[in-house]
Amino acid sequence: MMQIKRFITHSLGASMVALCVSSSLFAQESDGYNANSIRPIHESDQLYKTRVWRRMDLEEKQNKPFFSTNREITQVMINAVMNGTLYPYTSDSLNERMSKEQFIENLTIPADGPALSEDEIAMGFGQQEEAQEDDGWGGGWGDDSSSSSGQGAEGTAVESSASTSEASASTNNLFYATDVTILEIMEDIIFDKSRGRQYYDIQSVTMILPPEMFPLTGLQKPVATFKYMDLMRVFEENPEIAVWVNPYNDAKHLNLKHAFDLRLFNAHIVKYSNPEDEYIIDKTGGDRRSALMESLNYEYNLLEREHELWEY
């Protein structure tokens, strides 16, 4: 009888331990908070949530402070990836990291440029580099380092030029940070019922090369996606260059993190959650004017919904 009681007691104890462990693991896996949010809101406090994608054109006047000379936000992002302090991702799902080699490949200028016509070739287009290399005057005009090196031994000159080309190949074939003029922002619009306020919870930022960089195809090219929380950390760690430049008051420049918190950027909605996972431009059959009107209408409906919740 005593052995049966001990067996039952031992079994119950083991079951309780297993139940506690499993419940703690379940709580860690689904604690109700978004791991990619800087200021997460528990799902039980969310009255509604809508995910939208916004297109931020860095060449727009309102966005110029994010894209000031020598302080471009894209340059900060590229430098952080190159020195290993920022991890890129393959998509805004943020599930798969992108290798540094793939990131560099996405920034590499394609070798197939637009073909020249016979008239353009006859006029001398595309032959500028050959003329500079062999123009019969010992290199370029004026003080040129290649002409001075050419006065030495022939083998030395060839070796130095080869090493220079290898060293600069990785940078000369890449797009500049000023060429990346589009940022796509994915964010959740959440109304917190416990605080009675609507929040904009940015999840990721994607760098995109505009269609102007690819005249043959006319298609934009995503470079990489970054976690918003990782970007904010990088901006805080680089206060000298991660600067939102105030065009009206030099004493009131801001860190890019604070500029995003204050939503000083302009970015219109290009996509919202839908079963087909389509962009607005796809829903309008490629009509850009209709897509813009649909985007503005959706934005106004979001504001109206927040206003109506305050009414009640």
Side-chain angles (χ1 to χ4, degrees):
M1 189 68 180
M2 292 294 297
Q3 293 180 350
I4 295 176
K5 289 183 178 180
R6 289 176 181 176
F7 175 77
I8 294 175
T9 304
H10 178 74
S11 300
L12 289 174
S15 300
M16 291 298 293
V17 171
L19 181 61
C20 292
V21 172
S22 61
S23 61
S24 62
L25 292 175
F26 179 77
Q28 292 178 359
E29 293 178 357
S30 58
D31 57 357
Y33 291 99
N34 188 343
N36 295 324
S37 298
I38 290 184
R39 303 176 184 90
I41 301 173
H42 196 273
E43 58 184 12
S44 63
D45 293 329
Q46 299 176 13
L47 183 62
Y48 71 79
K49 181 177 75 172
T50 302
R51 175 160 292 185
V52 299
W53 287 257
R54 298 179 182 271
R55 178 188 175 99
M56 180 180 175
D57 188 349
L58 295 172
E59 293 185 329
E60 289 186 10
K61 183 177 181 180
Q62 184 174 339
N63 297 328
K64 277 294 185 179
F66 293 89
F67 207 55
S68 59
T69 304
N70 298 326
R71 291 174 174 176
E72 298 87 359
I73 182 176
T74 50
Q75 186 65 67
V76 178
M77 298 161 71
I78 293 173
N79 290 346
V81 174
M82 293 303 183
N83 60 33
T85 58
L86 180 64
Y87 292 111
Y89 289 82
T90 58
S91 66
D92 55 21
S93 63
L94 303 176
N95 292 327
E96 182 181 356
R97 281 186 179 179
M98 178 185 294
S99 64
K100 187 176 180 180
E101 292 75 18
Q102 182 62 43
F103 178 79
I104 295 175
E105 181 180 345
N106 290 345
L107 275 178
T108 302
I109 301 174
D112 51 340
L116 299 176
S117 64
E118 295 181 359
D119 294 337
E120 290 173 334
I121 296 176
M123 294 173 63
F125 290 102
Q127 301 177 1
Q128 184 177 0
E129 294 181 358
E130 296 180 2
Q132 291 180 351
E133 292 175 0
D134 187 15
D135 57 358
W137 291 89
W141 295 85
D143 185 12
D144 186 59
S145 59
S146 62
S147 60
S148 60
S149 63
Q151 295 175 1
E154 182 178 358
T156 304
V158 172
E159 183 180 356
S160 61
S161 62
S163 60
T164 303
S165 62
E166 291 177 359
S168 60
S170 59
T171 57
N172 289 345
N173 295 330
L174 300 182
F175 286 104
Y176 292 110
T178 53
D179 294 331
V180 187
T181 59
I182 300 175
L183 296 180
E184 186 173 271
I185 301 171
M186 184 183 74
E187 66 178 359
D188 292 331
I189 302 176
I190 304 172
F191 191 90
D192 187 347
K193 62 184 180 182
S194 65
R195 285 174 281 188
R197 180 182 170 187
Q198 183 166 282
Y199 291 89
Y200 296 89
D201 187 16
I202 300 179
Q203 300 293 300
S204 68
V205 177
T206 302
M207 289 199 313
I208 298 178
L209 286 162
E212 293 78 14
M213 296 294 104
F214 306 97
L216 290 181
T217 61
L219 301 175
Q220 65 182 18
K221 178 183 179 181
V223 178
T225 301
F226 305 95
K227 284 185 178 181
Y228 180 70
M229 61 193 318
D230 291 345
L231 278 179
M232 298 304 104
R233 173 183 52 79
V234 169
F235 294 158
E236 284 186 315
E237 294 174 352
N238 298 273
E240 298 83 6
I241 58 174
V243 178
W244 179 88
V245 177
N246 192 328
Y248 305 107
N249 188 353
D250 288 341
K252 294 298 180 181
H253 298 327
L254 299 175
N255 186 275
L256 289 176
K257 178 182 183 300
H258 301 148
F260 271 95
D261 282 342
L262 295 172
R263 299 187 69 84
L264 299 179
F265 57 88
N266 178 52
H268 63 273
I269 297 176
V270 295
K271 179 183 175 183
Y272 52 82
S273 298
N274 62 91
E276 296 82 13
D277 195 31
E278 291 181 335
Y279 280 79
I280 296 178
I281 189 69
D282 298 326
K283 291 179 173 294
T284 60
D287 188 345
R288 296 191 177 187
R289 184 176 184 275
S290 299
L292 178 59
M293 297 301 296
E294 174 66 22
S295 174
L296 294 174
N297 184 61
Y298 189 81
E299 189 89 52
Y300 295 152
N301 288 336
L302 289 175
L303 296 176
E304 186 68 19
R305 180 167 60 179
E306 180 185 11
H307 174 72
E308 290 178 352
L309 287 173
W310 279 101
E311 286 273 328
Y312 297 102

